[in-house]
Amino acid sequence: MDFLTLFLMYSCSVLATVALLCICWGTEESFLARSANGASQVLSSVIPTQLQRATQRVLHRLFHTRSCLFVVLHIALQAAVYGEYTWEVFVYCWELQFHLLLLLLPYLLLAGNMGGFILCSRANPGIITKSNHASLVKTYAYDGVLFQKGIVCSTCNMEKPARSKHCSVCSVCVHRFDHHCVWVNNCVGAFNAKYFFLYLFTLTAMAATIAIITAAFLIQVVLLADAMHGTYIDDQGQEHAVEVFFLIQHLFLTFPRIVFMLGFVLLLTLVLGAYCCFNLYLALTNQTSNEWHKSRRYGCSHHPALQRHDGQVVYKNIYSKGVWVNLKEIFKPLTALERKKK
């Protein structure tokens, strides 16, 4: 495998990972989105108009219409990683007498991840219809800041319940809307949030586990070869002690696919790990990605909605009821009847 091929593979993996971060983050005005908008304004002055329109159509097709493209990409990336893990890392580690349960752990996590993926993509996220509208309107109180009573969805022609949002991709209003995830080709809402958590955390654990096993294998190879205490001769014929950079280069030339896969899963672990922490924070504070983004426009107060002396509205999350109750609400969505009891 030549250097150009490896470089192209690495570039594609980085782009795919960045795309995963952008989509899963679920915000409409994130830093990355603002940066992309700024870059597009600069490029618009040098790119032909017809090419701009074609690019906009492609991007709209990818990110604003339901499509299985990212699902296929998701499966392809998983197949590539697990193919390399199975045919090389697993075999080498087995020969080095790694514990069998440790080597099988990524497959167990894969089974859980595929279960979460199927459930999240196939489950009803909480689509608001005329039959369940009356019940969902009573589930959450309007906070008067992010959600106000009497707002009618112009597409669905129904009053929006508190914590709901119209998804332009699916063209439906979703109860306790979090975001639309292209990787599962479905919205994340009140009724499938628990499956999304299962999918996200098992995906992160998969990447981390494969990264740990692969790194342990490469470290074992270095220790068995006693490479850290070796020397090498440079182009000028001078002898040098082995350095870390030289060692990494040697491992890359010896196990190119394994080192490339390790770099990819490490990057994926960092990105997904950060996003998992963000989602855990949202769950503990009983917020959605949509609410977190909208609340950034306001300050904080001990009151649900309050006018400051300068006339600006400040915001306080009224839906948080404590860590345990907030977590419970993810796995057992709140109903109108339960709200009345509280």
Short mmCIF file of all heavy atoms in Angstrom, two decimals, residues 14-78:
data_model
loop_
_atom_site.label_atom_id
_atom_site.label_comp_id
_atom_site.label_asym_id
_atom_site.label_seq_id
_atom_site.Cartn_x
_atom_site.Cartn_y
_atom_site.Cartn_z
N VAL A 14 -10.79 11.29 8.54
CA VAL A 14 -10.89 12.53 9.30
C VAL A 14 -12.14 13.30 8.91
O VAL A 14 -12.88 13.81 9.77
CB VAL A 14 -9.63 13.40 9.09
CG1 VAL A 14 -9.82 14.78 9.68
CG2 VAL A 14 -8.41 12.72 9.72
N LEU A 15 -12.42 13.38 7.61
CA LEU A 15 -13.61 14.08 7.15
C LEU A 15 -14.87 13.40 7.66
O LEU A 15 -15.83 14.07 8.06
CB LEU A 15 -13.62 14.13 5.61
CG LEU A 15 -12.56 15.06 4.98
CD1 LEU A 15 -12.58 14.90 3.46
CD2 LEU A 15 -12.81 16.51 5.36
N ALA A 16 -14.89 12.08 7.64
CA ALA A 16 -16.06 11.35 8.14
C ALA A 16 -16.26 11.58 9.63
O ALA A 16 -17.38 11.75 10.10
CB ALA A 16 -15.89 9.85 7.86
N THR A 17 -15.16 11.63 10.38
CA THR A 17 -15.27 11.86 11.82
C THR A 17 -15.75 13.27 12.13
O THR A 17 -16.58 13.48 13.02
CB THR A 17 -13.90 11.62 12.49
OG1 THR A 17 -13.41 10.34 12.10
CG2 THR A 17 -14.03 11.67 14.01
N VAL A 18 -15.23 14.26 11.41
CA VAL A 18 -15.68 15.64 11.60
C VAL A 18 -17.15 15.76 11.25
O VAL A 18 -17.92 16.44 11.94
CB VAL A 18 -14.83 16.61 10.75
CG1 VAL A 18 -15.42 18.00 10.77
CG2 VAL A 18 -13.40 16.64 11.27
N ALA A 19 -17.57 15.07 10.18
CA ALA A 19 -18.99 15.08 9.82
C ALA A 19 -19.84 14.48 10.92
O ALA A 19 -20.92 14.98 11.24
CB ALA A 19 -19.20 14.31 8.51
N LEU A 20 -19.33 13.41 11.54
CA LEU A 20 -20.06 12.79 12.65
C LEU A 20 -20.22 13.75 13.80
O LEU A 20 -21.29 13.87 14.40
CB LEU A 20 -19.30 11.54 13.12
CG LEU A 20 -19.82 10.82 14.36
CD1 LEU A 20 -21.23 10.31 14.10
CD2 LEU A 20 -18.91 9.69 14.75
N LEU A 21 -19.16 14.48 14.14
CA LEU A 21 -19.25 15.47 15.22
C LEU A 21 -20.25 16.56 14.89
O LEU A 21 -21.06 16.94 15.74
CB LEU A 21 -17.87 16.09 15.45
CG LEU A 21 -17.79 17.21 16.49
CD1 LEU A 21 -18.20 16.69 17.86
CD2 LEU A 21 -16.39 17.79 16.54
N CYS A 22 -20.23 17.05 13.65
CA CYS A 22 -21.13 18.14 13.27
C CYS A 22 -22.58 17.70 13.33
O CYS A 22 -23.45 18.42 13.82
CB CYS A 22 -20.80 18.63 11.86
SG CYS A 22 -19.16 19.37 11.71
N ILE A 23 -22.87 16.50 12.84
CA ILE A 23 -24.26 16.05 12.77
C ILE A 23 -24.77 15.67 14.15
O ILE A 23 -25.88 16.03 14.55
CB ILE A 23 -24.37 14.85 11.81
CG1 ILE A 23 -23.96 15.28 10.40
CG2 ILE A 23 -25.79 14.33 11.77
CD1 ILE A 23 -24.70 16.46 9.85
N CYS A 24 -23.98 14.89 14.89
CA CYS A 24 -24.45 14.43 16.19
C CYS A 24 -24.61 15.57 17.19
O CYS A 24 -25.41 15.47 18.11
CB CYS A 24 -23.48 13.39 16.76
SG CYS A 24 -23.59 11.78 15.99
N TRP A 25 -23.82 16.63 17.01
CA TRP A 25 -23.92 17.75 17.96
C TRP A 25 -25.31 18.32 17.98
O TRP A 25 -25.81 18.73 19.02
CB TRP A 25 -22.89 18.80 17.55
CG TRP A 25 -22.71 19.87 18.57
CD1 TRP A 25 -23.23 21.12 18.59
CD2 TRP A 25 -21.93 19.77 19.76
NE1 TRP A 25 -22.82 21.80 19.69
CE2 TRP A 25 -22.03 21.00 20.43
CE3 TRP A 25 -21.16 18.75 20.31
CZ2 TRP A 25 -21.37 21.24 21.62
CZ3 TRP A 25 -20.52 18.99 21.50
CH2 TRP A 25 -20.63 20.22 22.13
N GLY A 26 -25.99 18.35 16.82
CA GLY A 26 -27.41 18.70 16.76
C GLY A 26 -27.71 20.16 16.95
O GLY A 26 -28.84 20.51 17.26
N THR A 27 -26.76 21.05 16.78
CA THR A 27 -27.03 22.47 16.91
C THR A 27 -27.05 23.11 15.56
O THR A 27 -26.33 22.70 14.65
CB THR A 27 -25.96 23.16 17.78
OG1 THR A 27 -24.70 23.03 17.11
CG2 THR A 27 -25.90 22.54 19.15
N GLU A 28 -27.87 24.15 15.41
CA GLU A 28 -28.01 24.80 14.13
C GLU A 28 -27.01 25.93 13.97
O GLU A 28 -26.68 26.33 12.86
CB GLU A 28 -29.43 25.37 13.98
CG GLU A 28 -30.51 24.30 14.04
CD GLU A 28 -31.89 24.91 14.06
OE1 GLU A 28 -31.99 26.14 14.08
OE2 GLU A 28 -32.87 24.16 14.05
N GLU A 29 -26.53 26.49 15.07
CA GLU A 29 -25.62 27.64 15.00
C GLU A 29 -24.35 27.36 15.78
O GLU A 29 -23.87 28.21 16.52
CB GLU A 29 -26.33 28.88 15.58
CG GLU A 29 -27.55 29.31 14.81
CD GLU A 29 -27.19 29.91 13.46
OE1 GLU A 29 -26.02 30.30 13.29
OE2 GLU A 29 -28.06 29.96 12.60
N SER A 30 -23.80 26.17 15.63
CA SER A 30 -22.58 25.82 16.34
C SER A 30 -21.40 26.58 15.77
O SER A 30 -21.48 27.22 14.72
CB SER A 30 -22.32 24.31 16.24
OG SER A 30 -22.09 23.97 14.88
N PHE A 31 -20.27 26.49 16.46
CA PHE A 31 -19.07 27.16 15.99
C PHE A 31 -18.66 26.65 14.62
O PHE A 31 -18.26 27.43 13.75
CB PHE A 31 -17.94 26.94 17.00
CG PHE A 31 -16.60 27.42 16.52
CD1 PHE A 31 -16.29 28.77 16.53
CD2 PHE A 31 -15.65 26.52 16.06
CE1 PHE A 31 -15.06 29.22 16.08
CE2 PHE A 31 -14.42 26.96 15.61
CZ PHE A 31 -14.12 28.31 15.63
N LEU A 32 -18.77 25.32 14.43
CA LEU A 32 -18.40 24.76 13.14
C LEU A 32 -19.32 25.25 12.04
O LEU A 32 -18.89 25.51 10.91
CB LEU A 32 -18.42 23.23 13.22
CG LEU A 32 -17.32 22.60 14.09
CD1 LEU A 32 -17.55 21.11 14.22
CD2 LEU A 32 -15.96 22.87 13.50
N ALA A 33 -20.61 25.38 12.36
CA ALA A 33 -21.56 25.84 11.35
C ALA A 33 -21.28 27.29 10.98
O ALA A 33 -21.32 27.66 9.80
CB ALA A 33 -22.99 25.71 11.89
N ARG A 34 -20.98 28.12 11.97
CA ARG A 34 -20.66 29.52 11.69
C ARG A 34 -19.37 29.63 10.88
O ARG A 34 -19.26 30.47 9.97
CB ARG A 34 -20.55 30.31 12.99
CG ARG A 34 -21.88 30.47 13.73
CD ARG A 34 -21.75 31.55 14.81
NE ARG A 34 -20.75 31.20 15.80
CZ ARG A 34 -21.02 30.51 16.91
NH1 ARG A 34 -22.24 30.09 17.14
NH2 ARG A 34 -20.06 30.24 17.77
N SER A 35 -18.41 28.78 11.19
CA SER A 35 -17.16 28.79 10.44
C SER A 35 -17.39 28.38 9.00
O SER A 35 -16.81 28.96 8.07
CB SER A 35 -16.14 27.85 11.10
OG SER A 35 -15.88 28.24 12.42
N ALA A 36 -18.26 27.36 8.82
CA ALA A 36 -18.56 26.91 7.46
C ALA A 36 -19.28 27.99 6.67
O ALA A 36 -19.01 28.19 5.48
CB ALA A 36 -19.43 25.64 7.53
N ASN A 37 -20.18 28.72 7.35
CA ASN A 37 -20.88 29.81 6.67
C ASN A 37 -19.92 30.92 6.27
O ASN A 37 -20.01 31.48 5.17
CB ASN A 37 -21.97 30.38 7.58
CG ASN A 37 -23.13 29.42 7.76
OD1 ASN A 37 -23.39 28.58 6.89
ND2 ASN A 37 -23.83 29.51 8.88
N GLY A 38 -18.97 31.24 7.16
CA GLY A 38 -17.99 32.26 6.83
C GLY A 38 -17.10 31.86 5.67
O GLY A 38 -16.81 32.65 4.78
N ALA A 39 -16.70 30.58 5.67
CA ALA A 39 -15.86 30.09 4.58
C ALA A 39 -16.62 30.09 3.26
O ALA A 39 -16.06 30.40 2.20
CB ALA A 39 -15.38 28.67 4.91
N SER A 40 -17.92 29.72 3.32
CA SER A 40 -18.72 29.70 2.10
C SER A 40 -18.88 31.10 1.50
O SER A 40 -18.91 31.27 0.28
CB SER A 40 -20.10 29.09 2.38
OG SER A 40 -20.84 29.91 3.27
N GLN A 41 -18.96 32.13 2.37
CA GLN A 41 -19.07 33.50 1.87
C GLN A 41 -17.79 33.94 1.15
O GLN A 41 -17.84 34.63 0.14
CB GLN A 41 -19.37 34.45 3.03
CG GLN A 41 -20.76 34.26 3.62
CD GLN A 41 -20.99 35.16 4.83
OE1 GLN A 41 -20.13 35.95 5.19
NE2 GLN A 41 -22.16 35.04 5.44
N VAL A 42 -16.64 33.49 1.67
CA VAL A 42 -15.37 33.83 1.03
C VAL A 42 -15.24 33.11 -0.31
O VAL A 42 -14.85 33.69 -1.33
CB VAL A 42 -14.19 33.48 1.95
CG1 VAL A 42 -12.86 33.71 1.23
CG2 VAL A 42 -14.25 34.30 3.22
N LEU A 43 -15.61 31.81 -0.31
CA LEU A 43 -15.47 31.02 -1.53
C LEU A 43 -16.47 31.42 -2.60
O LEU A 43 -16.22 31.21 -3.80
CB LEU A 43 -15.64 29.53 -1.20
CG LEU A 43 -14.54 28.91 -0.33
CD1 LEU A 43 -14.90 27.48 0.03
CD2 LEU A 43 -13.19 28.95 -1.04
N SER A 44 -17.61 32.00 -2.19
CA SER A 44 -18.64 32.36 -3.16
C SER A 44 -18.16 33.41 -4.16
O SER A 44 -18.71 33.54 -5.26
CB SER A 44 -19.90 32.87 -2.44
OG SER A 44 -19.60 34.04 -1.70
N SER A 45 -17.13 34.16 -3.76
CA SER A 45 -16.61 35.20 -4.65
C SER A 45 -15.71 34.65 -5.74
O SER A 45 -15.43 35.33 -6.73
CB SER A 45 -15.85 36.25 -3.83
OG SER A 45 -14.75 35.65 -3.16
N VAL A 46 -15.23 33.41 -5.59
CA VAL A 46 -14.31 32.84 -6.57
C VAL A 46 -14.88 31.61 -7.27
O VAL A 46 -14.36 31.20 -8.31
CB VAL A 46 -12.97 32.49 -5.90
CG1 VAL A 46 -12.28 33.75 -5.41
CG2 VAL A 46 -13.15 31.51 -4.76
N ILE A 47 -15.93 31.00 -6.71
CA ILE A 47 -16.52 29.80 -7.30
C ILE A 47 -17.65 30.19 -8.23
O ILE A 47 -18.48 31.04 -7.88
CB ILE A 47 -17.03 28.85 -6.19
CG1 ILE A 47 -15.87 28.39 -5.32
CG2 ILE A 47 -17.74 27.64 -6.79
CD1 ILE A 47 -16.29 27.50 -4.17
N PRO A 48 -17.73 29.58 -9.41
CA PRO A 48 -18.82 29.90 -10.36
C PRO A 48 -20.19 29.66 -9.75
O PRO A 48 -20.38 28.76 -8.92
CB PRO A 48 -18.55 28.94 -11.52
CG PRO A 48 -17.10 28.62 -11.43
CD PRO A 48 -16.76 28.65 -9.97
N THR A 49 -21.16 30.46 -10.16
CA THR A 49 -22.51 30.39 -9.60
C THR A 49 -23.14 29.02 -9.82
O THR A 49 -23.81 28.48 -8.92
CB THR A 49 -23.39 31.48 -10.22
OG1 THR A 49 -22.77 32.75 -10.03
CG2 THR A 49 -24.76 31.49 -9.57
N GLN A 50 -22.97 28.45 -11.01
CA GLN A 50 -23.57 27.15 -11.30
C GLN A 50 -23.02 26.07 -10.38
O GLN A 50 -23.77 25.20 -9.90
CB GLN A 50 -23.32 26.77 -12.76
CG GLN A 50 -24.06 27.67 -13.76
CD GLN A 50 -23.83 27.22 -15.19
OE1 GLN A 50 -22.95 26.40 -15.46
NE2 GLN A 50 -24.62 27.77 -16.11
N LEU A 51 -21.72 26.12 -10.10
CA LEU A 51 -21.12 25.14 -9.19
C LEU A 51 -21.64 25.35 -7.77
O LEU A 51 -21.87 24.37 -7.04
CB LEU A 51 -19.60 25.26 -9.23
CG LEU A 51 -18.82 24.27 -8.34
CD1 LEU A 51 -19.16 22.84 -8.72
CD2 LEU A 51 -17.32 24.53 -8.46
N GLN A 52 -21.84 26.60 -7.36
CA GLN A 52 -22.39 26.88 -6.03
C GLN A 52 -23.78 26.29 -5.89
O GLN A 52 -24.11 25.67 -4.87
CB GLN A 52 -22.44 28.39 -5.80
CG GLN A 52 -21.09 29.06 -5.65
CD GLN A 52 -21.22 30.54 -5.36
OE1 GLN A 52 -22.06 30.95 -4.56
NE2 GLN A 52 -20.40 31.37 -5.99
N ARG A 53 -24.62 26.48 -6.92
CA ARG A 53 -25.98 25.95 -6.87
C ARG A 53 -25.99 24.43 -6.82
O ARG A 53 -26.77 23.83 -6.08
CB ARG A 53 -26.77 26.45 -8.07
CG ARG A 53 -27.04 27.97 -8.05
CD ARG A 53 -27.71 28.41 -9.33
NE ARG A 53 -27.97 29.86 -9.31
CZ ARG A 53 -28.43 30.54 -10.35
NH1 ARG A 53 -28.68 29.91 -11.52
NH2 ARG A 53 -28.65 31.85 -10.25
N ALA A 54 -25.11 23.82 -7.61
CA ALA A 54 -25.03 22.36 -7.61
C ALA A 54 -24.59 21.85 -6.24
O ALA A 54 -25.13 20.86 -5.72
CB ALA A 54 -24.06 21.89 -8.69
N THR A 55 -23.61 22.55 -5.63
CA THR A 55 -23.14 22.17 -4.30
C THR A 55 -24.24 22.32 -3.26
O THR A 55 -24.41 21.46 -2.38
CB THR A 55 -21.93 23.02 -3.90
OG1 THR A 55 -20.91 22.90 -4.90
CG2 THR A 55 -21.38 22.58 -2.56
N GLN A 56 -25.00 23.41 -3.34
CA GLN A 56 -26.10 23.62 -2.40
C GLN A 56 -27.16 22.55 -2.53
O GLN A 56 -27.72 22.09 -1.52
CB GLN A 56 -26.71 25.00 -2.63
CG GLN A 56 -25.82 26.16 -2.20
CD GLN A 56 -26.39 27.51 -2.55
OE1 GLN A 56 -27.44 27.60 -3.20
NE2 GLN A 56 -25.70 28.58 -2.14
N ARG A 57 -27.44 22.13 -3.77
CA ARG A 57 -28.43 21.06 -3.96
C ARG A 57 -27.94 19.75 -3.35
O ARG A 57 -28.72 19.01 -2.73
CB ARG A 57 -28.71 20.88 -5.45
CG ARG A 57 -29.57 21.98 -6.07
CD ARG A 57 -30.11 21.55 -7.42
NE ARG A 57 -29.05 21.36 -8.40
CZ ARG A 57 -28.60 22.31 -9.21
NH1 ARG A 57 -29.13 23.53 -9.15
NH2 ARG A 57 -27.64 22.05 -10.08
N VAL A 58 -26.65 19.46 -3.54
CA VAL A 58 -26.09 18.23 -2.98
C VAL A 58 -26.13 18.27 -1.45
O VAL A 58 -26.54 17.30 -0.80
CB VAL A 58 -24.65 18.02 -3.47
CG1 VAL A 58 -24.00 16.85 -2.74
CG2 VAL A 58 -24.63 17.76 -4.98
N LEU A 59 -25.71 19.40 -0.86
CA LEU A 59 -25.72 19.53 0.60
C LEU A 59 -27.13 19.47 1.16
O LEU A 59 -27.37 18.87 2.22
CB LEU A 59 -25.04 20.84 1.02
CG LEU A 59 -23.54 20.93 0.74
CD1 LEU A 59 -23.01 22.31 1.11
CD2 LEU A 59 -22.78 19.85 1.51
N HIS A 60 -28.08 20.08 0.46
CA HIS A 60 -29.47 20.01 0.90
C HIS A 60 -29.97 18.58 0.85
O HIS A 60 -30.71 18.13 1.74
CB HIS A 60 -30.35 20.92 0.03
CG HIS A 60 -31.77 20.97 0.47
ND1 HIS A 60 -32.73 20.07 0.03
CD2 HIS A 60 -32.42 21.81 1.33
CE1 HIS A 60 -33.88 20.35 0.59
NE2 HIS A 60 -33.73 21.40 1.39
N ARG A 61 -29.59 17.87 -0.20
CA ARG A 61 -29.99 16.48 -0.33
C ARG A 61 -29.41 15.63 0.79
O ARG A 61 -30.08 14.74 1.34
CB ARG A 61 -29.53 15.94 -1.69
CG ARG A 61 -29.78 14.46 -1.92
CD ARG A 61 -31.26 14.16 -2.01
NE ARG A 61 -31.50 12.74 -2.23
CZ ARG A 61 -32.71 12.18 -2.21
NH1 ARG A 61 -33.79 12.93 -1.97
NH2 ARG A 61 -32.85 10.89 -2.42
N LEU A 62 -28.17 15.92 1.18
CA LEU A 62 -27.50 15.12 2.19
C LEU A 62 -28.01 15.40 3.60
O LEU A 62 -28.25 14.48 4.39
CB LEU A 62 -25.99 15.37 2.15
CG LEU A 62 -25.22 14.80 0.96
CD1 LEU A 62 -23.77 15.23 1.01
CD2 LEU A 62 -25.31 13.28 0.93
N PHE A 63 -28.19 16.70 3.94
CA PHE A 63 -28.44 17.08 5.32
C PHE A 63 -29.87 17.55 5.61
O PHE A 63 -30.22 17.75 6.76
CB PHE A 63 -27.46 18.19 5.73
CG PHE A 63 -26.03 17.76 5.68
CD1 PHE A 63 -25.18 18.20 4.68
CD2 PHE A 63 -25.51 16.89 6.63
CE1 PHE A 63 -23.86 17.81 4.63
CE2 PHE A 63 -24.19 16.49 6.59
CZ PHE A 63 -23.37 16.94 5.59
N HIS A 64 -30.69 17.75 4.59
CA HIS A 64 -32.04 18.26 4.82
C HIS A 64 -33.12 17.39 4.22
O HIS A 64 -34.27 17.81 4.14
CB HIS A 64 -32.15 19.69 4.27
CG HIS A 64 -31.26 20.67 4.97
ND1 HIS A 64 -31.55 21.19 6.21
CD2 HIS A 64 -30.07 21.21 4.62
CE1 HIS A 64 -30.59 22.01 6.59
NE2 HIS A 64 -29.67 22.04 5.65
N THR A 65 -32.78 16.19 3.79
CA THR A 65 -33.77 15.21 3.34
C THR A 65 -33.39 13.86 3.91
O THR A 65 -32.19 13.57 4.13
CB THR A 65 -33.83 15.12 1.80
OG1 THR A 65 -32.54 14.77 1.29
CG2 THR A 65 -34.27 16.44 1.18
N ARG A 66 -34.36 13.03 4.14
CA ARG A 66 -34.09 11.69 4.68
C ARG A 66 -33.37 10.87 3.62
O ARG A 66 -33.80 10.75 2.48
CB ARG A 66 -35.38 11.01 5.11
CG ARG A 66 -36.10 11.72 6.23
CD ARG A 66 -37.07 10.81 6.94
NE ARG A 66 -36.37 9.79 7.73
CZ ARG A 66 -37.00 8.90 8.50
NH1 ARG A 66 -38.31 8.90 8.58
NH2 ARG A 66 -36.32 8.01 9.18
N SER A 67 -32.26 10.28 4.01
CA SER A 67 -31.45 9.50 3.08
C SER A 67 -30.71 8.42 3.84
O SER A 67 -30.37 8.59 5.02
CB SER A 67 -30.45 10.41 2.35
OG SER A 67 -29.54 9.65 1.60
N CYS A 68 -30.45 7.32 3.17
CA CYS A 68 -29.73 6.20 3.78
C CYS A 68 -28.23 6.27 3.53
O CYS A 68 -27.50 5.35 3.88
CB CYS A 68 -30.26 4.87 3.23
SG CYS A 68 -31.97 4.51 3.71
N LEU A 69 -27.76 7.38 2.92
CA LEU A 69 -26.35 7.49 2.57
C LEU A 69 -25.46 7.39 3.80
O LEU A 69 -24.47 6.64 3.81
CB LEU A 69 -26.10 8.81 1.84
CG LEU A 69 -24.64 9.09 1.48
CD1 LEU A 69 -24.10 8.03 0.53
CD2 LEU A 69 -24.48 10.48 0.87
N PHE A 70 -25.80 8.13 4.87
CA PHE A 70 -24.95 8.12 6.06
C PHE A 70 -25.09 6.79 6.81
O PHE A 70 -24.15 6.37 7.49
CB PHE A 70 -25.30 9.28 6.98
CG PHE A 70 -24.77 10.60 6.49
CD1 PHE A 70 -25.55 11.44 5.73
CD2 PHE A 70 -23.48 10.99 6.79
CE1 PHE A 70 -25.07 12.65 5.28
CE2 PHE A 70 -22.97 12.19 6.34
CZ PHE A 70 -23.76 13.04 5.57
N VAL A 71 -26.22 6.13 6.69
CA VAL A 71 -26.38 4.80 7.28
C VAL A 71 -25.44 3.83 6.60
O VAL A 71 -24.76 3.02 7.25
CB VAL A 71 -27.85 4.33 7.17
CG1 VAL A 71 -27.97 2.90 7.67
CG2 VAL A 71 -28.76 5.25 7.96
N VAL A 72 -25.38 3.90 5.26
CA VAL A 72 -24.48 3.04 4.50
C VAL A 72 -23.02 3.35 4.85
O VAL A 72 -22.20 2.44 5.04
CB VAL A 72 -24.72 3.21 2.99
CG1 VAL A 72 -23.69 2.44 2.18
CG2 VAL A 72 -26.13 2.75 2.61
N LEU A 73 -22.69 4.65 4.96
CA LEU A 73 -21.34 5.05 5.33
C LEU A 73 -20.98 4.54 6.73
O LEU A 73 -19.87 4.06 6.98
CB LEU A 73 -21.21 6.57 5.28
CG LEU A 73 -19.87 7.16 5.72
CD1 LEU A 73 -18.74 6.65 4.84
CD2 LEU A 73 -19.92 8.69 5.70
N HIS A 74 -21.95 4.63 7.64
CA HIS A 74 -21.79 4.15 9.01
C HIS A 74 -21.46 2.66 9.02
O HIS A 74 -20.51 2.21 9.68
CB HIS A 74 -23.08 4.45 9.77
CG HIS A 74 -23.16 3.80 11.12
ND1 HIS A 74 -23.63 2.52 11.31
CD2 HIS A 74 -22.85 4.26 12.35
CE1 HIS A 74 -23.59 2.22 12.58
NE2 HIS A 74 -23.13 3.25 13.24
N ILE A 75 -22.21 1.88 8.27
CA ILE A 75 -22.00 0.43 8.21
C ILE A 75 -20.67 0.11 7.54
O ILE A 75 -19.94 -0.80 7.97
CB ILE A 75 -23.17 -0.24 7.47
CG1 ILE A 75 -24.47 -0.05 8.27
CG2 ILE A 75 -22.90 -1.73 7.26
CD1 ILE A 75 -25.71 -0.55 7.56
N ALA A 76 -20.33 0.87 6.50
CA ALA A 76 -19.07 0.63 5.79
C ALA A 76 -17.86 0.89 6.69
O ALA A 76 -16.89 0.10 6.68
CB ALA A 76 -19.00 1.50 4.54
N LEU A 77 -17.91 1.97 7.47
CA LEU A 77 -16.81 2.28 8.38
C LEU A 77 -16.68 1.21 9.46
O LEU A 77 -15.56 0.78 9.80
CB LEU A 77 -17.03 3.65 9.02
CG LEU A 77 -16.83 4.86 8.11
CD1 LEU A 77 -17.24 6.15 8.84
CD2 LEU A 77 -15.37 4.97 7.66
N GLN A 78 -17.80 0.76 9.99
CA GLN A 78 -17.76 -0.30 11.00
C GLN A 78 -17.21 -1.59 10.41
O GLN A 78 -16.41 -2.29 11.05
CB GLN A 78 -19.15 -0.55 11.58
CG GLN A 78 -19.53 0.38 12.70
CD GLN A 78 -20.76 -0.09 13.45
OE1 GLN A 78 -21.55 -0.89 12.94
NE2 GLN A 78 -20.94 0.40 14.65
#
